[in-house]
Amino acid sequence: MSNSGILKSSLAKKYVMALTGLFLCLFLVGHLAGNLQLLLKSGAEGQRAFNEYAQFMTTFPLVKILSYLTYASVLFHAIDGIVLTMANRKARPVGYVNEKGSANSNWSSRNMGILGTIILVFLVSHMQNFWYQMHFGDIPNDPNGLKDLYGVVLKFFSPENSMSLFAVVGYVLAQGALAFHLSHGFASGFQSLGLRHAKYTPVIEWSGKIFSVLVPALFAIIPIYLYITQQ
Amino acid sequence: MDLTLKVWRQNGPTDQGKMETHSVTGVSPDMSFLEMMDMLNDQIIRAGGDPVAFDHDCREGICGMCSMFINGEAHGPSRGVTTCQLHMRSFKDGDTITIEPWRAAAFPVVKDLAVDRSSFDRVIQAGGYISVNTSGETLDANAIPIPKPQADEAFNAATCIGCGACVATCKNASAMLFVAAKVSQFALLPQGQPERSKRAKRMVEQMDKEGFGNCTNTGACAVECPKGIDLSTIARMNRDYLSATVKED
Ligand code: SF4
Ligand code: FES
């Protein structure tokens, strides 16, 4: 038997899911660090810090490589998810009349596909609003000669913009979905890679819970803050 | 106790099947679930009907034949027991109980509640063994020193009775817990080392071929498993398979 079948196996799909997912967790941390500039600094200082960060993220070569890895991860994570979901449907063609999933597993773990879809929809609109603007949009420069993404973000979440309340609510809801997705996904990634240990697995599980609350919460605070402070 | 039973009836593999409602009266709380089913069948036979087909053999929790999905859970609401060891005292007088067969493409229904689990046998045939020379010069297993904790863990994995509750309960109909238990019982012992990664590879390949679903780590299998097989077995198989991917066969 050759090794060629291995890449198509159910376990290989798990490894892909785990590796891309855990890489995306790292990406979230990097993204959050940048966004927090909006919270920690304001006025001209905030504008400078955030725009410098945006400039750095779109031009620095190493970051560029990481960003391509991120696009690839999102793509493979999503495609893998769809393939797995379809195969799993086929594995149980006739369902139960009475099925009590809540008796033996967490809600998030049973709804990763739905949660992931919500995140994907959010991601598309998010990239259209900011990523596309930064890369291809017509953004004026700030006093330092950098693209003023800061101004775009502020305007986007300002009460003066008629759609901003929807934007804030949508953003917060998407972060909620992300929180539930991570609450299962973080530790699950380690399990899929076989990284389980009597001593360390509880630590991983706790870290996953903290990560899944902290990261989305910090993301979500920012648009709320921008909306309220611009009243 | 008086109960209302909603039982899956399916007259053969190709029949569409449907839920059928029966009432049973005078059930003793000390009866096992299967004894209650015997009572139901007695009642059906006396009325000239076709009794409900279900699997069972030892009726003491060791063979793994009994297999009912009771009130939405594999082997019913109690933990660490098979259907034959579930007692009617776990239910209340007047309860309505739903009884369904294991649901998985790899476990086709034979009749009513009886399903064909020979897919498990084929997974075992693919690699769930060790090759030893039985010409008479076989080394006595007791002559090989094995640390107690390791022997215990291997034994725990080996307590899997192949009932299939893990598959039945998994939302993906994945057989990971069963296969991982069968991989682990050898992976933890010196005798299992020579064929270790080949075993994981072959058994996983057969598991996929049989049409079981993909594990998403919900952990439901370990909760419903009557023998308490835990998720560390699955992690071990994930590791063994990963190492098989980089080794020559
Ligand atoms: S792992 Fe548990 S639930 Fe699965 S077949 Fe073995 S004993 Fe049954
Ligand atoms: S009949 Fe043997 S385990 Fe239930």
Side-chain angles (χ1 to χ4, degrees):
Chain A
M1 191 178 69
S2 75
N3 275 359
S4 62
I6 278 176
L7 290 175
K8 282 185 239 126
S9 76
S10 60
L11 260 60
K13 295 195 197 96
K14 283 170 64 94
Y15 301 148
V16 170
M17 211 62 181
L19 289 172
T20 52
L22 290 174
F23 178 77
L24 289 172
C25 286
L26 282 178
F27 157 76
L28 284 178
V29 174
H31 192 323
L32 181 62
N35 287 18
L36 286 177
Q37 304 304 317
L38 294 164
L39 203 65
L40 301 174
K41 299 177 184 139
S42 59
E45 202 196 342
Q47 184 179 34
R48 187 195 181 100
F50 189 73
N51 288 345
E52 273 174 359
Y53 158 78
Q55 162 90 6
F56 174 77
M57 292 308 277
T58 44
T59 52
F60 190 65
L62 186 70
V63 175
K64 273 226 118 100
I65 297 172
L66 283 179
S67 72
Y68 286 123
L69 261 177
T70 308
Y71 305 145
S73 292
V74 171
L75 207 66
F76 279 107
H77 199 75
I79 293 174
D80 207 18
I82 293 167
V83 169
L84 289 173
T85 306
M86 278 173 9
N88 291 344
R89 289 256 164 88
K90 236 174 71 192
R92 176 164 296 140
V94 184
Y96 291 106
V97 173
N98 181 1
E99 189 174 14
K100 216 153 123 205
S102 59
N104 49 42
S105 53
N106 291 327
W107 182 86
S108 323
S109 76
R110 281 177 277 123
N111 291 281
M112 290 300 273
I114 296 167
L115 293 167
T117 308
I118 296 172
I119 296 167
L120 191 65
V121 168
F122 165 77
L123 201 65
V124 170
S125 93
H126 184 70
M127 284 183 79
Q128 187 193 359
N129 294 331
F130 303 114
W131 179 89
Y132 182 84
Q133 293 302 321
M134 186 65 195
H135 283 81
F136 309 109
D138 198 10
I139 302 183
N141 282 355
D142 70 1
N144 304 304
L146 299 173
K147 280 191 177 183
D148 191 18
L149 189 65
Y150 182 78
V152 173
V153 173
L154 248 60
K155 208 164 108 202
F156 191 77
F157 291 118
S158 152
E160 278 162 34
N161 168 0
S162 61
M163 294 302 283
S164 64
L165 190 60
F166 289 108
V168 174
V169 171
Y171 195 102
V172 172
L173 287 179
Q175 296 310 310
L178 179 63
F180 283 106
H181 197 74
L182 288 171
S183 78
H184 173 69
F186 188 94
S188 178
F190 288 87
Q191 165 78 1
S192 289
L193 295 171
L195 299 170
R196 193 183 183 92
H197 186 279
K199 234 194 297 180
Y200 305 123
T201 294
V203 179
I204 292 170
E205 280 170 356
W206 269 107
S207 312
K209 295 285 173 220
I210 294 169
F211 188 90
S212 69
V213 173
L214 200 64
V215 171
L218 286 173
F219 269 116
I221 286 172
I222 296 164
I224 298 174
Y225 171 82
L226 295 180
Y227 186 82
I228 292 172
T229 53
Q230 293 187 93
Q231 289 282 1
Chain B
M1 296 169 79
D2 298 341
L3 301 165
T4 305
L5 305 176
K6 293 199 162 148
V7 192
W8 182 259
R9 300 306 304 267
Q10 180 174 340
N11 197 11
T14 50
D15 183 30
Q16 233 208 328
K18 59 172 190 331
M19 295 299 271
E20 200 175 81
T21 307
H22 291 273
S23 319
V24 280
T25 51
V27 174
S28 153
D30 295 331
M31 279 180 178
S32 76
F33 201 85
L34 295 188
E35 283 169 324
M36 186 278 295
M37 290 301 290
D38 292 339
M39 224 179 118
L40 167 71
N41 274 344
D42 186 57
Q43 183 180 309
I44 293 175
I45 292 167
R46 278 171 205 280
D50 185 23
V52 181
F54 61 88
D55 267 324
H56 62 106
D57 188 12
C58 70
R59 295 208 176 193
E60 54 184 13
I62 56 171
C63 76
M65 271 316 279
C66 57
S67 48
M68 291 184 194
F69 204 78
I70 302 159
N71 274 351
E73 287 186 77
H75 295 305
S78 301
R79 296 286 170 254
V81 295
T82 49
T83 301
C84 60
Q85 292 200 301
L86 174 67
H87 287 87
M88 297 316 293
R89 51 180 168 271
S90 303
F91 300 88
K92 288 193 307 291
D93 183 38
D95 272 0
T96 298
I97 304 174
T98 56
I99 309 167
E100 298 175 75
W102 285 175
R103 294 290 189 196
F107 287 167
V109 172
V110 177
K111 188 174 195 281
D112 300 335
L113 304 172
V115 299
D116 179 359
R117 283 167 283 181
S118 49
S119 48
F120 267 13
D121 299 336
R122 289 187 291 274
V123 171
I124 295 291
Q125 282 159 12
Y129 50 79
I130 55 165
S131 307
V132 277
N133 191 341
T134 52
S135 63
E137 287 150 32
T138 317
L139 184 64
D140 181 23
N142 289 322
I144 307 169
I146 301 167
K148 176 87 163 89
Q150 211 152 317
D152 285 349
E153 226 183 309
F155 186 80
N156 285 347
T159 57
C160 163
I161 52 177
C163 64
C166 42
V167 174
T169 203
C170 174
K171 77 181 246 295
N172 311 316
S174 163
M176 288 288 277
L177 195 66
F178 163 75
V179 182
K182 298 302 176 192
V183 162
S184 288
Q185 67 187 19
F186 297 121
L188 286 158
L189 296 176
Q191 293 94 325
Q193 299 315 310
E195 291 156 308
R196 184 168 178 174
S197 55
K198 195 159 76 182
R199 177 180 307 116
K201 195 159 104 181
R202 297 221 165 131
M203 291 176 80
V204 167
E205 191 180 60
Q206 190 63 35
M207 169 181 89
D208 289 350
K209 224 185 259 169
E210 296 292 344
F212 290 107
N214 302 278
C215 173
T216 55
N217 301 327
T218 69
C221 54
V223 173
E224 300 287 354
C225 170
K227 297 297 156 184
I229 307 294
D230 70 51
L231 298 177
S232 65
T233 58
I234 296 184
R236 182 175 300 107
M237 182 164 76
N238 289 340
R239 282 197 297 277
D240 282 7
Y241 189 82
L242 197 57
S243 80
T245 59
V246 293
K247 278 188 197 152
E248 296 258 347
D249 196 32

